[in-house]
Every structure is written in structure tokens, then in C-alpha cells.
Amino acid sequence: SQQGEEDPQALSIQEGENATMNCSYKTSINNLQWYRQNSGRGLVHLILIRSNEREKHSGRLRVTLDTSKKSSSLLITASRAADTASYFCATHASSSSGGSYIPTFGRGTSLIVHP
Amino acid sequence: GAVVSQHPSWVICKSGTSVKIECRSLDFQATTMFWYRQFPKQSLMLMATSNEGSKATYEQGVEKDKFLINHASLTLSTLTVTSAHPEDSSFYICSAATGGRSLFFGSGTRLTVV
């Protein structure tokens, strides 16, 4: 089953507005990463936040992590048309058998930024 | 940051042939690599976990004989799609884990079987 679940599944905004995407997960994690994927392309790593961190910034990106609620958010400020892409969170958590850590992806948020 | 190289980025093959996809960690040793498959507008589904020097662990529903995984060294894992059919057409992506369990992803391979 999916570990991470992004919300909303789709988001349509105007250029200049902020975009907020959320990710919820089920089990304890070592870290959580956000990725961007342009249509038909590979994943681009955006930011990694460790389980002992609460907030992290990178340029126009701001990621928060609330381990008590098992959730994370990605905020893109002053969005641009070029930010149009799908955004995924990926968690690195233990497998259902309690064995080695395996990474799982959420379904992603499709962001459209209108110029 | 760590770099994972995946090759080829796209491939078109005839039905019945086999295709090999390579995943290399360029500047770190990856004891574990993961292979995913992504259908259009869907999330990435984990296919298998590849451990250096041992057999891969496949997720439920993934055919081991169809998707052969070899992790012969700490920097290279390969996925071979054997006797490919049009339904195997998909986007395949690998990721590699560092010792600290940070994950880095390849750029993916678009496979089209005609």
C-alpha cells in the first residue's frame, strides 16, 4: 500500500500565487523527500528533511515536517509557469515485515501554474 | 549531492526481445538499489529491492523471471526486461540508498515495446 499520500491530487493556480501541497504517511520515517517530475521525465530531487528537522528552506521552497501528525507540506512561493509539474513525496520507512527500509511514493500532486 | 545515473533514458524495442537498463551510483557506494515502474499519470510503484551480492527482493505481483535484477557491484544494478511485450511499455526508474539511507533517483528510462 502507499505510504505517502499527497493532497491535493491536483492544484491549479495563477502565476505569482503560492502553492501548498501536503503529504501524509503512516509509519515512522528516517527522512522524507520531495521530488518534482515534469511530464514524461525523470524525478528531480527538491529537498530532503530528516525526521529530527521541522522546517527546511531551499530558494522558493519551504518544507515542514510534523512527525506527531505524520505529515509534511511543501510550499512553493511566488509560483511560476515553469513550476508546472507533478510533485511527489517519498518516505524512507521500514517494510511491512519489519525488515529493511524501503522507499515509497505517494500518488503525487499535479500542479498547474497559469501564466 | 549524490548522483545516480540511469541508462538508457529511452529505448524502443521489438516484442519478444530483451532490454537491459543500468543504474549507477556515480559518487557513492549503494548497498541497496530500488527499481520502480510508473504508468502514465500514476505514482511510482516499487518493483524490487536490489541488494549487492544477493538476490533481489521482489514486490508482490512482480514476475521475477520477467524482470531480472542484478546488483553485481556497489555501484551498479541492472534491470533486464525479458521477452518484452507491449504491456511492458512503461517508465522505469531506479534509486540508490546511501549508508545513511538517503535516497537518490535516476532520471528514468522510457521503454516502448512495439
Side-chain angles (χ1 to χ4, degrees):
Chain A
S1 63
Q2 295 284 40
Q3 162 73 318
E5 293 289 342
E6 288 91 349
D7 169 58
Q9 290 190 15
L11 184 59
S12 181
I13 60 175
Q14 293 295 129
E15 206 166 31
E17 295 179 341
N18 295 339
T20 299
M21 289 158 270
N22 302 297
C23 170
S24 60
Y25 55 93
K26 298 175 182 176
T27 64
S28 59
I29 60 172
N30 178 260
N31 62 63
L32 184 147
Q33 302 180 59
W34 283 92
Y35 291 84
R36 166 197 170 119
Q37 183 181 37
N38 285 65
S39 180
R41 307 295 292 273
L43 271 70
V44 175
H45 181 260
L46 294 177
I47 198 164
L48 179 152
I49 186 165
R50 302 188 190 284
S51 59
N52 61 352
E53 297 177 310
R54 293 295 169 261
E55 188 171 310
K56 208 162 184 179
H57 296 256
S58 177
R60 293 184 295 113
L61 306 180
R62 172 176 169 256
V63 169
T64 63
L65 180 63
D66 187 335
T67 53
S68 66
K69 295 181 180 179
K70 292 186 168 57
S71 67
S72 174
S73 68
L74 170 67
L75 168 67
I76 303 174
T77 60
S79 64
R80 305 167 183 169
D83 294 329
T84 295
S86 291
Y87 292 83
F88 295 90
C89 68
T91 55
H92 207 187
S94 55
S95 67
S96 57
S97 63
S100 61
Y101 281 68
I102 57 173
T104 54
F105 282 87
R107 291 188 175 90
T109 293
S110 176
L111 172 66
I112 298 175
V113 181
H114 300 279
Chain B
V3 177
V4 174
S5 173
Q6 188 171 341
H7 178 81
S9 56
W10 60 269
V11 58
I12 300 173
C13 71
K14 291 184 178 180
S15 187
T17 61
S18 296
V19 174
K20 180 184 285 187
I21 303 170
E22 292 187 348
C23 181
R24 293 179 184 273
S25 55
L26 297 185
D27 51 1
F28 67 100
Q29 293 185 329
T31 55
T32 304
M33 291 186 175
F34 304 94
W35 287 95
Y36 296 85
R37 180 174 182 175
Q38 185 182 34
F39 294 100
K41 298 185 179 180
Q42 299 287 319
S43 182
L44 280 73
M45 300 302 297
L46 181 65
M47 297 174 65
T49 302
S50 171
N51 297 297
E52 187 269 333
S54 64
K55 292 183 179 180
T57 303
Y58 290 82
E59 296 299 300
Q60 192 172 10
V62 178
E63 298 178 61
K64 300 178 183 181
D65 296 331
K66 160 70 77 176
F67 301 101
L68 300 179
I69 292 173
N70 183 276
H71 195 155
S73 75
L74 286 171
T75 60
L76 174 64
S77 176
T78 60
L79 168 67
T80 301
V81 183
T82 63
S83 187
H85 291 282
E87 57 264 31
D88 298 325
S89 298
S90 191
F91 188 72
Y92 295 87
I93 189 165
C94 70
S95 70
T98 65
R101 292 178 174 161
S102 294
L103 291 173
F104 299 91
F105 287 82
S107 56
T109 297
R110 172 76 55 194
L111 171 63
T112 302
V113 184
V114 297

